[in-house]
Amino acid sequence: MPSDLNGATVAFLVAPEGTEQIELTDPWEAVEKAGGRPRLVSTSPGEIQAFNHLDKADTFTVDATVEEVGAADFTGLVLPGGVANPDFLRTVPRAVQFVKEFFDSGKPVAAICHAPWTLIEARAVDGRRLTSYPSLATDVRNAGGEWVDEEVVTCAMGPNTLVTSRKPDDLPAFDRALLDAFAK
């Protein structure tokens, strides 16, 4: 993987619980190995509870809440999946606004699995080509996006670069694509 993030700070937005652990830790490690500085952002301070599908996994310390930071503080945004994680985030107006700020400011966003639910709530998929966990295909289409069943999709047809993937099996391609987007 490239080592060209040169200290860039990357936000990882997650709910207090329900994040699919591998979809948080794998891109996190890729950002670190590429010379970036990942920061865990959530809706509440303290720790978040990650999951391995439906089973509790590890906890992770929150670096900042969505109330304390904005897109201007970061180079890019990663949205890990897990069913409960984006479903919770899309109900928190400040979390949705935080995501929207990255699109409004032209900063890259990478979302995997169920995370496009949060993108839909931020009204950020209209006219965009993307992928997700297959069960979101209708939601993406209903929000004006073009859903495709591909390992990773990088879409620059909009105000920013949007990188999306379907599931944990796609993480190697997702990591490469998000590093490329964040390095630009």
Side-chain angles (χ1 to χ4, degrees):
M1 294 214 183
S3 299
D4 52 6
L5 292 187
N6 297 321
T9 304
V10 177
F12 283 71
L13 177 62
V14 297
E17 65 177 26
T19 300
E20 186 68 30
Q21 182 162 314
I22 193 68
E23 294 174 1
L24 169 64
T25 57
D26 198 78
W28 185 284
E29 290 171 8
V31 166
E32 285 183 322
K33 287 178 184 174
R37 192 169 77 104
R39 304 264 297 151
L40 191 62
V41 179
S42 189
T43 58
S44 301
E47 292 186 331
I48 65 108
Q49 175 67 62
F51 281 73
N52 291 325
H53 193 52
L54 298 175
D55 299 322
K56 284 187 177 180
D58 297 322
T59 59
F60 298 88
T61 301
V62 172
D63 294 309
T65 68
V66 290
E67 299 296 335
E68 300 168 326
V69 294
D73 299 310
F74 302 98
T75 299
L77 172 65
V78 177
L79 296 169
V83 177
N85 176 48
D87 192 45
F88 175 82
L89 289 175
R90 67 185 177 162
T91 69
V92 179
R94 177 60 196 137
V96 173
Q97 181 58 36
F98 180 72
V99 171
K100 188 171 180 335
E101 289 172 11
F102 284 84
F103 288 84
D104 291 347
S105 60
K107 294 186 176 190
V109 173
I112 187 167
C113 200
H114 289 78
W117 268 339
T118 310
L119 300 177
I120 290 167
E121 194 66 30
R123 301 186 189 282
V125 302
D126 190 24
R128 305 299 294 263
R129 185 174 186 267
L130 65 153
T131 194
S132 65
Y133 196 75
S135 64
L136 276 68
T138 300
D139 298 329
V140 168
R141 289 182 188 118
N142 286 343
E146 176 192 352
W147 187 87
V148 294
D149 185 12
E150 295 177 15
E151 181 179 53
V152 65
V153 176
T154 300
C155 177
M157 299 294 294
N160 67 336
T161 299
L162 176 60
V163 176
T164 54
S165 280
R166 302 170 298 190
K167 57 190 173 188
D169 289 346
D170 299 336
L171 280 165
F174 180 68
D175 292 347
R176 284 189 301 274
L178 75 84
L179 291 178
D180 184 54
F182 293 173
K184 291 182 179 174

